[in-house]
Amino acid sequence: MPSMGLFTCLPDLSDPYNHLSESILRTMANKYVYLFGTRKSEGDKEMKNLLGGKGANLAEMARLGLPVPAGFTLTTEVCTHYYDHKKTYPRELSAQVDKAISEVEKKMGAKFGDPKNPLLLSVRSGARVSMPGMMETVLNLGLNDEIVAGLIKKSGDERFCYDVYRRFVQMYGDVVMGLRPKDKEIDPFEHLLEKKKEKHGVEIDSDLPATALKELVAEFKAVIKKRLKRSFPEDPKEQLYGSIGAVFSSWQGDRAIRYREIESIPHNWGTAVNVQSMVYGNMGENCATGVAFTRDPSTGENKLYGEFLVNAQGEDVVAGIRTPEPIIKMKRILPDAYADFIKVCGQLEKHYKDMQDMEFTIQQERLWMLQTRSGKRTAAAAVKIAVDMANEKLITRKQAIMRVDPADLDQLLHPTFDASQKTAAIGKGLPASPGAASGKVVFSAEEAEAQAAQGEPVILVRIETSPEDIGGMHAAQGILTARGGMTSHAAVVARGMGKCCVAGCGDVVIDYSKNLFKAGGKTVKKGDWVSIDGSSGEVMLGQTPTKEAKFSQEFGTLMQWADKSRKLKVRTNADTPHDSDVARRFGAEGIGLCRTEHMFFEGDRIVAVREMILADDEKGRKKALAKLKPIQRKDFEGIFKAMNGLPVTIRLLDPPLHEFVPHEAAQQKEMAKQLKLPVAVIKAKVDSLHEFNPMLGHRGCRLGITYPEIYQMQVEAIFEATINAGKKKIKALPEIMIPLVGTTREFDDLKAMIDRVAKEISAKKKTKLSYQVGTMIEIPRAALIADQIAESAQFFSFGTNDLTQLTFGYSRDDSGTFLPEYVDKGILPEDPFQSLDQEGVGQLVRLGTERGRATRKNLKVGICGEHGGDPASVHFCHQIGLNYVSCSPYRVPIARLAAAQAALAK
Amino acid sequence: MPSMGLFTCLPDLSDPYNHLSESILRTMANKYVYLFGTRKSEGDKEMKNLLGGKGANLAEMARLGLPVPAGFTLTTEVCTHYYDHKKTYPRELSAQVDKAISEVEKKMGAKFGDPKNPLLLSVRSGARVSMPGMMETVLNLGLNDEIVAGLIKKSGDERFCYDVYRRFVQMYGDVVMGLRPKDKEIDPFEHLLEKKKEKHGVEIDSDLPATALKELVAEFKAVIKKRLKRSFPEDPKEQLYGSIGAVFSSWQGDRAIRYREIESIPHNWGTAVNVQSMVYGNMGENCATGVAFTRDPSTGENKLYGEFLVNAQGEDVVAGIRTPEPIIKMKRILPDAYADFIKVCGQLEKHYKDMQDMEFTIQQERLWMLQTRSGKRTAAAAVKIAVDMANEKLITRKQAIMRVDPADLDQLLHPTFDASQKTAAIGKGLPASPGAASGKVVFSAEEAEAQAAQGEPVILVRIETSPEDIGGMHAAQGILTARGGMTSHAAVVARGMGKCCVAGCGDVVIDYSKNLFKAGGKTVKKGDWVSIDGSSGEVMLGQTPTKEAKFSQEFGTLMQWADKSRKLKVRTNADTPHDSDVARRFGAEGIGLCRTEHMFFEGDRIVAVREMILADDEKGRKKALAKLKPIQRKDFEGIFKAMNGLPVTIRLLDPPLHEFVPHEAAQQKEMAKQLKLPVAVIKAKVDSLHEFNPMLGHRGCRLGITYPEIYQMQVEAIFEATINAGKKKIKALPEIMIPLVGTTREFDDLKAMIDRVAKEISAKKKTKLSYQVGTMIEIPRAALIADQIAESAQFFSFGTNDLTQLTFGYSRDDSGTFLPEYVDKGILPEDPFQSLDQEGVGQLVRLGTERGRATRKNLKVGICGEHGGDPASVHFCHQIGLNYVSCSPYRVPIARLAAAQAALAK
């Protein structure tokens, strides 16, 4: 293979480190072009906002003395100028580009547009954050008929040179001139190429002879002229500006806009453009190209991981025509380049202090680095890499904590499907509660319980669930609903149970009467196997094997480090001893929300509850409540035991009474039989309990005020359980929480009742009782008068679910009709039921906290909505100085890590 | 008749005016007793808080030189001390009382407890505000067997003296010693009295001879001894303190407590006690007693109005045994006393500058004033008196404005029943919309329209109304509903129409299937006559004549004066040209809320609306909307005409779509026929529109965002109507209001649409369009981010109905289950849907206004909820600097007066 002067001149690495800080450079009026890999590199890795990620890292690598083909970056400011000024460039740009080209020419020992010694360039996009494949690239720029002739003369490889030329014309025609085929159109260039291969009887492009390639160039130009009535530009400068313009234009291409919307990337950031000398991995067997990670991005193991292809260009790796080889094989084939690369890898990881994802090309045994960036990784890898690097002293423990996205931990805490065995989805709903489950379809809670009792794994499929379904949900492997959002009953309860749930899957059309559902053109009958993925929302036919979650040692270590850093306590929302146990194992520091109503449904209890509701007077209600008290007491004893020594916040009855009565005729008949009452009486009662807006109805402390005997029974059960626990050496720390308070008198009256009951039981049992009484702040008015409520409330817990409903005026059960469209259109940045709306709802949380503490300096304040497990919301809670967040058991580790990151953030 | 030295000594009016200001007196340590009518009067009319209303006015009258029997007042502080210190008196009290008695003795020329020349006293309560009949009184105090003998000797009238003694023992036994009979017990004293009358064969008490009365005294004392094992106290001092204690105790009596709860009088105010020399109107034919008003309290006419009885005590007037005579007759019977009284009346009215309600006694031709206070009056009288007094220069015009309670004006604006013809109520509901109406019962809106079309007056009786009933409500004379509160659909719409409505009448049990309702044990069938009183909530059988409202000249004058004083503008909530006309006649200065959805129901419109809802796509919806546009345009043209030159705020469609579709099978069938679609399609659509909490659902601007074509049609109709109005020389000032905004983007996106449509129509019609775009602030979040919304919103209108629902988390349709109990128990001072909750909801209104104006200094801000017609809420709106309130047409005068009072209040 002949020596090719053009491609072999070494970068001048002797240039002294000549670093101007970004701020100095920025104050130099209107600097739009930054050099890299030339005598000096004008950028560095901190300048991503101005130079884009790729440009900043190319400059940084060059600064480190690594082999980077020389080039320059047009800043993101050029892009914003371009769009602010009717797609024109700043006045100063042209001169700065000329000067930069001449620097690159000096470095590379070749001249752009000079037929005798031509410099070829690539033009690539590079935004602040990676937007892979969303914008345009033009390679091999700077060729025309005259220059290619000179290039052939200089390199002596006619086939290679015509191949480069042919690729350039094709790419330029596609990308810059706009001949890229749409949808089902035939690509005119590919069409000509295919015809040429047929004619020459060859299968792959690289088998075409030089003459054929030369013909193709002419044919490509002709088709451009014919289709566009414009000629392919022969002037290299015109080619350069055409390519730069194409990249800037692609920033506002449909794909790019859509991507930014999905990823919440501001449209006004703009992209930088990198113009760089070409290097070639396809000049022969001593050439190669590849991508690699400094560690295994799947497991986090500390060993080089990657692939390469000999005699290939980058696009060949992507195209998948040839199968790349594992990187380790490069050691044997190109030992020197491999050694260089290993050295570079070490250098980069040490410099960036993070796992790097790199692109490289080897041109005639010489290594060129084309890109480096922090590599994407699985949650497991993220945890392992962070902990390993801290142990290697590459980063601090605090940095390790910041390295893992708390939301990603979800992957680690639930069973998952074996990806290789997953079948095509027949429907997709909301990923309401993560995890994976397979089971036989059942359509009612009773059926679920019955089948589960016989050891059958079942998936409970319902249009939507209601509190009556609790037993069946518990018995099922997973829950699939056709309606309801991320905070629907099914979603909230499933997350609480750590049970996999796909909610609001509109693809699923259920026919209860025929015991079947249809989805994706398939009919699924009762007893058929289905699999649901609560992390992706997918519903699949058949049984798919799952992998159980296993916690790595590194996970435990990271959690320990996180706990040392955080200030915010993390409690859990748990209603049963089982959930309390799970949460405690996940590190919960108490219960922030124990919903007592869930205890009202199981088994015979619901009969007593209904008896109470049907009673005509206080006496009748008290009689029914007397049956419930021992059961509630036992529930509390179990929870106190699980949370021995930790605080347990118990919310008194919250939902409206109609949630406890059946609304369907058959069940009403059943209830009439159980209670020995005429059906008409049942029906009349159920009707009288109907509310137009139950969310705003007769519930929470409003029940406590109008039917004081209900709360009194619950409070007696709590205090008796506290005393019974004490007898067994269990330290119970009850915190009684009054829900839905909107006025001071509601709280004061009910607190007086609680204190009175405590006094009575204390006297009767001759035991001192230690407890607190506080309230949920979930009504906007309560936040507004928090200063007054704190006069007697000993703690606040923000119920951010209801507070969000009321502050926005959204019903979480109904908002599915417009909320997805709102998020889609960017009217809301996120679903406010998933991530706390800091601007609106957050104002009330902040204000309520401030006012509450203005009255009671050491007021304990937490939140117990669904937001307690959302990292951004946890961050906000830390910022405004809350004492704790409370979330479902499986989100406790997420909250712990998020709390640590919040504490370390400043 | 013998001269009775005891009762004839004149008060010493020569005593120079010796006035110590209250503050000086208060700084004198622990002064608990204030003299009046003695050498000096220590109190005056400004000291009501300390001396109670009665005590302060007695002192004031004495100061004026009017004949007031001498006495002294124990302050309200004695009462509070009494309750704060286990029912004991302050140390200093006894000496102060002794000293006061001796001053009274000097003045009256008699001695308390002196058998030779005894002074008799009365002990009466007297709180800051009048609590008529709620507390105790003891008269004729200071008698025992020895003293009565002395009294007889001195007066020479044995029968009179024993009658006084007998009355005293009876009253003391009842009130102080506690022998007052409960419920159905026999009164032991009355029993003995009856037996005595039987024995003597007389019919009335006063015919009993002295001996019989003497016997009765002994028998009374015996029954006391027998029943209570205690003796009647013979010691006058003991009698005095017993009586004082009884008055203080009665402050905490059940009746008094209940009364204070109803009237919102604080329990800790306490009562004063007045101890006063007795005078007697029952000593012969030259004696009398009476009550009088300086003007006619019913009409306001400026002439003395009152009644008197010759030879009688005050209690005889109240007891109703004899019929009192009109006061004018006194002129002939007791000419000197009458002349004195007329003089006193003039003096008092001039002094108090208000109509006085007085009690007097004439003892042997001498006039004694026992009480004066501002008299209660009808609304009509209040208006006339205020205007007359201003014209008489007795008060200023501003004072006249302050004299009339705006809420009372309601009486003047609606028809009323002739009180004399009203029959007993068979049920009582909420006084939801004032006025009186009689008509034949109908149970459906269709029936109401059909009957009304034939000239039959009907009362529409529904369990509850829905927007579908608008036509029938309009056709009916009045509306009666069994369910729903003061802001239920029926109530709000009826008030808007100025139509009489009784809502939420739980006594009424409707059976639609049998076309009847039951109430108060009666069954009322379709076609039966009923009468409803929307001002009292009463429902009566049969036809009751009504009186039409007539506005007096004084009413007009007062309104003119009010308009000159107020700063707040008053607009109206009106949806039709008719309502707009009415409101303008009541003085509305524009429309603050025109609800466009009400226009969607009438006649054929609903068919087009349903066609739109049923359409599968935007194209189908647009087709249906095209039918609606000309109708809406015509509606707006009519309203613009009625409001020529005044601003008209038009709210775009607000309710969820399911309000426009029928929910009952029969109507769905009808709709299917009309739209030529299968019933199943209708049913499926209706079901899909169902919401769990429609109040928090897919409505307001959420519809505008998801179905932009609906708002676009409405906006086109508005602008086209504006241009058409202009062609007819009508000045239309449309203010387009976007409802239910919670985020800035909702507003901005829709405003952009409106501006675009305006531009298009403006260009097409070659006419400049002048309009404003603003929003309703009714979502708490909107108030919190008002600064951002005001960036583009040109006005705010607080929708305080929905804002109250969301700030409290109350559904106004459901809150009937607990809200009445809340108000009853004092958890809320008032129904927050009737009077704005200033503490909570008001905070958001204030904050939203402040933030909005921080961005846009001259932001126009108003309210348009039901509160716009509530005086206290209007006052609040003035205080926080709103520009206007908007209320239903019939409340406009109330708001005008309330606004004037608010402006004058400081």
Side-chain angles (χ1 to χ4, degrees), chain B residues 341-359:
Chain B
F341 184 62
I342 292 295
K343 223 173 106 191
V344 165
C345 285
Q347 219 174 334
L348 282 175
E349 209 185 74
K350 204 165 165 190
H351 182 70
Y352 281 96
K353 299 178 193 300
D354 196 6
M355 176 187 78
Q356 293 298 297
D357 168 3
M358 303 153 296
E359 293 176 19

Side-chain angles (χ1 to χ4, degrees), chain B residues 164-311:
Chain B
V164 168
Y165 193 17
R166 178 284 288 183
R167 285 174 191 254
F168 168 53
V169 175
Q170 179 170 358
M171 201 171 221
Y172 197 91
D174 261 356
V175 168
V176 183
M177 304 191 77
L179 269 190
R180 173 177 292 150
K182 281 173 199 77
D183 274 343
K184 287 162 193 166
E185 284 177 16
I186 292 163
D187 182 332
F189 301 121
E190 287 297 326
H191 179 68
L192 291 169
L193 187 60
E194 284 308 309
K195 270 179 34 186
K196 194 65 73 188
K197 284 193 281 186
E198 262 172 50
K199 185 178 158 197
H200 288 264
V202 301
E203 289 275 328
I204 49 173
D205 302 3
S206 51
D207 289 344
L208 281 173
T211 49
L213 295 167
K214 188 176 175 183
E215 286 165 21
L216 271 177
V217 169
E219 288 166 22
F220 284 0
K221 287 185 179 174
V223 79
I224 288 171
K225 176 88 193 196
K226 190 177 159 203
R227 292 271 192 106
L228 302 174
K229 319 290 174 218
R230 282 189 290 140
S231 300
F232 171 82
E234 303 284 337
D235 174 16
K237 266 285 179 58
E238 194 182 338
Q239 292 169 3
L240 176 61
Y241 280 101
S243 303
I244 291 169
V247 174
F248 283 140
S249 290
S250 68
W251 174 255
Q252 293 291 31
D254 291 344
R255 271 184 310 163
I257 289 173
R258 185 81 195 106
Y259 184 85
R260 289 197 297 272
E261 280 172 359
I262 292 167
E263 300 288 322
S264 305
I265 300 168
H267 296 304
N268 63 3
W269 276 5
T271 181
V273 171
N274 297 292
V275 179
Q276 191 174 20
S277 313
M278 287 295 302
V279 289
Y280 293 94
N282 55 345
M283 288 178 73
E285 293 302 314
N286 61 348
C287 299
T289 192
V291 295
F293 293 82
T294 54
R295 304 191 182 211
D296 186 332
S298 170
T299 64
E301 204 185 337
N302 187 3
K303 74 174 192 200
L304 189 64
Y305 178 96
E307 298 171 322
F308 78 110
L309 269 176
V310 168
N311 196 12

Side-chain angles (χ1 to χ4, degrees), chain A residues 464 483 687-688 690-698 701-702 705-706 708 742-743 745-746 749 779-782 784-785 788 805-811 813-814 817-818 821-822 825-828 837 839-841 843-844 847 851, chain B residues 464 483 687-688 690-698 701-702 705-706 708 742-743 745-746 749 779-782 784-785 788 805-811 813-814 817-818 821-822 825-828 837 839-841 843-844 847 851:
Chain A
E464 55 215 346
R483 273 200 220 150
D687 285 351
S688 81
H690 166 79
E691 291 184 313
F692 294 100
N693 297 290
M695 160 66 206
L696 308 173
H698 194 176
C701 70
R702 298 165 197 172
I705 297 279
T706 48
T743 68
R745 273 285 302 275
E746 287 170 322
D749 285 13
I779 300 280
R781 194 177 190 279
L784 294 169
I785 60 160
Q788 294 175 38
Q805 295 199 79
L806 292 169
T807 306
F808 273 99
Y810 294 162
S811 159
D813 292 320
D814 301 313
T817 45
F818 59 89
E821 195 169 333
Y822 266 38
K825 287 188 172 167
I827 287 172
L828 287 171
D837 161 50
E839 191 179 36
V841 181
Q843 261 196 65
L844 287 177
L847 181 142
R851 291 192 179 172
Chain B
E464 55 215 347
R483 274 200 221 149
D687 287 350
S688 80
H690 166 78
E691 292 184 313
F692 294 100
N693 297 291
M695 159 66 205
L696 308 172
H698 194 174
C701 70
R702 299 165 197 171
I705 297 279
T706 49
T743 67
R745 273 287 302 275
E746 286 171 322
D749 284 14
I779 299 281
R781 193 177 192 277
L784 295 169
I785 60 160
Q788 292 175 41
Q805 295 199 79
L806 292 169
T807 306
F808 272 99
Y810 294 163
S811 158
D813 292 319
D814 301 313
T817 45
F818 60 89
E821 195 169 335
Y822 266 38
K825 287 187 172 167
I827 286 172
L828 286 171
D837 161 50
E839 190 180 38
V841 181
Q843 260 195 66
L844 287 177
L847 181 143
R851 292 192 180 173

